[in-house]
Amino acid sequence: MRIRSGLLAVTAAMALVGSAPSPTSYTEADFARVAKLDAHVHANRDAPDFVQVARRDGFELLSINVDYPDFPPLARQAEIAYKDHAANPKHFHFATTFSMDGFGTPQWTAQAERAVDDGFAHGAVAVKVWKNIGMIAKDANGKRVFLDDPRFDPIMRNIQARGVPLIAHQGEPKNCWLPLDQMTTDNDRTYFSEHPEYYMFKHPEEPSYERLMAVRDRFVAQHPKLAFDGAHMASLEWSVDELAAFLDRFPSAVVDLAARMSQVQVQSNANHAKVRAFFVKYQDRLMYGTDLTDSPPDPAARAQNPPTTGDFAKEADATWRSDWRYLATPLSQPIAAIKADAPGLALPREVIDKIYYRNARRFFHLGG
């Protein structure tokens, strides 16, 4: 009996060792001390809070200006970005953009190039194009505009000549084309419920998910020398296999993880080893991002993805710590968006350092 008890004790001890953090991975206690960069946020408020909580938690920020009607006007976004970058050049970086208003008119190209050049003059490190290209925007003749339209070529040549990356949000999560009860995450259910204009399941007359992905792929193939960042896991968040195929096809492209962690957690709960192996294999091509958005208070504001809480500093800290626990440690945690616990991936320190910091610093030419 004592022998059996001893064996049980040894087995229990081995189980505990197996669940403990590996010396090759970080712990939760390492969170604030490790250099990190959130490569996809939106600072839409003229206030120091975002940079303050980021510096406290060991983050630099890349704030992305977007031609999005739920955000402040583009001129206001630019004003805030210029001010924050001038005040915190080592910790606050930004991406500029251009408006699609007037696309197809004789003056549009010059207007868009002036907007982009003004951003560069103030320190922009990238240019953003949004999902309105392909899903919303139409030209002067009322025809839907897609990213592979040759009328974008002058702007893309300008960006490429400067050696500046393009951040492209094309399409949406695949959940966008599914009924609410078939979506895999609650954050998508909430967002598309409150943004019916972007909820493609309700708009079968609009371009399909497959068409938008094909357009994006054609664009990347047509611009092989343009540094390309597929925002939100290139809208392939539903399958690490599909994302791997995209990265293999376009070896110069990278993606960020912004607002898609819960879709990754759905997959790792189904096949933990496969998802972990994906992160390790493509460790040089992935950049950490959240889509955290600090916007002026608005009682009529619609749901965002990730959700907002009204206490931005607490929201940012909680999001960053939850993602760190999932990516850097083996520890499990409840994920409300998927109504399940998600064990962590415990990625090696070298992988974490790349995904959280070094890849973005290299890709956006931030030095160091």
Side-chain angles (χ1 to χ4, degrees):
M1 189 70 179
R2 282 196 297 270
I3 293 175
R4 179 173 173 78
S5 299
L7 288 173
L8 289 172
V10 170
T11 301
M14 290 177 67
L16 287 172
V17 170
S19 66
S22 163
T24 63
S25 61
Y26 287 118
T27 69
E28 284 190 300
D30 294 315
F31 168 74
R33 72 169 186 82
V34 176
K36 301 178 292 297
L37 196 158
D38 189 330
H40 192 136
V41 302
H42 303 286
N44 295 333
R45 194 166 60 93
D46 187 5
D49 310 41
F50 207 159
V51 173
Q52 287 175 353
V53 68
R55 294 189 67 170
R56 185 188 71 203
D57 283 356
F59 275 96
E60 296 175 31
L61 301 174
L62 173 57
S63 183
I64 300 175
N65 291 354
V66 186
D67 190 17
Y68 179 23
D70 280 7
F71 283 2
L74 285 179
R76 180 58 175 156
Q77 292 182 50
E79 179 184 353
I80 293 169
Y82 299 168
K83 181 178 178 180
D84 284 349
H85 176 65
N88 303 277
K90 293 184 178 180
H91 293 89
F92 187 95
H93 319 285
F94 73 95
T96 189
T97 191
F98 51 85
S99 172
M100 286 297 293
D101 290 346
F103 184 87
T105 61
Q107 66 272 20
W108 182 84
T109 299
Q111 291 174 349
E113 289 192 326
R114 280 196 297 272
V116 168
D117 288 342
D118 187 60
F120 292 150
H122 286 86
V125 299
V127 177
K128 171 69 176 282
V129 292
W130 192 54
K131 66 186 181 186
N132 57 340
I133 301 174
M135 296 183 72
I136 300 292
K138 296 181 179 180
D139 66 13
N141 296 318
K143 184 179 179 181
R144 178 61 51 81
V145 179
F146 294 91
L147 190 58
D148 62 348
D149 192 307
R151 289 172 287 185
F152 287 113
D153 287 352
I155 294 176
M156 299 307 159
R157 283 195 295 268
N158 182 15
I159 297 170
Q160 180 180 312
R162 292 174 175 270
V164 174
L166 180 76
I167 303 171
H169 177 173
Q170 288 289 279
E172 282 286 67
K174 199 171 184 182
N175 282 336
C176 178
W177 282 264
L178 299 175
L180 290 174
D181 62 359
Q182 293 182 27
M183 290 186 183
T184 55
T185 66
D186 280 350
N187 50 322
D188 282 342
R189 289 187 189 95
T190 302
Y191 180 83
F192 292 116
S193 293
E194 297 200 18
H195 293 81
E197 69 272 35
Y198 305 132
Y199 184 19
M200 291 299 102
F201 175 74
K202 291 191 172 184
H203 300 283
E205 74 283 0
E206 296 291 346
S208 67
Y209 172 81
E210 291 76 15
R211 182 179 181 188
L212 293 172
M213 295 300 94
V215 167
R216 188 271 317 285
D217 288 355
R218 277 199 302 275
F219 173 85
V220 179
Q222 291 166 359
H223 300 83
K225 295 183 180 179
L226 178 65
F228 183 87
D229 171 13
H232 308 293
M233 300 182 75
S235 293
L236 297 168
E237 73 300 317
W238 60 280
S239 169
V240 293
D241 294 329
E242 291 293 325
L243 183 52
F246 170 81
L247 294 171
D248 290 343
R249 181 180 176 189
F250 302 111
S252 297
V254 303
V255 300
D256 72 43
L257 307 176
R260 301 296 182 263
M261 201 68 74
S262 57
Q263 285 93 338
V264 175
Q265 289 161 337
V266 168
Q267 294 175 75
S268 66
N269 276 2
N271 192 332
H272 189 274
K274 180 170 78 169
V275 172
R276 188 178 190 278
F278 167 83
F279 275 84
V280 171
K281 180 176 180 180
Y282 295 97
Q283 61 187 272
D284 296 313
R285 314 281 297 283
L286 310 174
M287 298 187 297
Y288 178 72
T290 58
D291 212 16
L292 283 165
T293 300
D294 186 14
S295 286
D298 178 3
R302 296 182 292 176
Q304 295 298 316
N305 189 3
T308 55
T309 64
D311 184 343
F312 182 75
K314 183 177 180 180
E315 172 192 334
D317 179 72
T319 298
W320 285 331
R321 289 181 183 274
S322 174
D323 290 348
W324 177 267
R325 183 181 177 103
Y326 173 66
L327 293 171
T329 84
L331 302 174
S332 186
Q333 62 183 308
I335 302 298
I338 64 174
K339 296 184 176 70
D341 288 354
L345 297 180
L347 296 172
R349 292 186 180 203
E350 177 73 8
V351 176
I352 289 292
D353 290 343
K354 289 179 179 179
I355 292 173
Y356 266 93
Y357 192 69
R358 284 158 44 192
N359 291 346
R361 297 283 301 183
R362 180 190 71 248
F363 184 75
F364 294 110
H365 308 292
L366 300 178

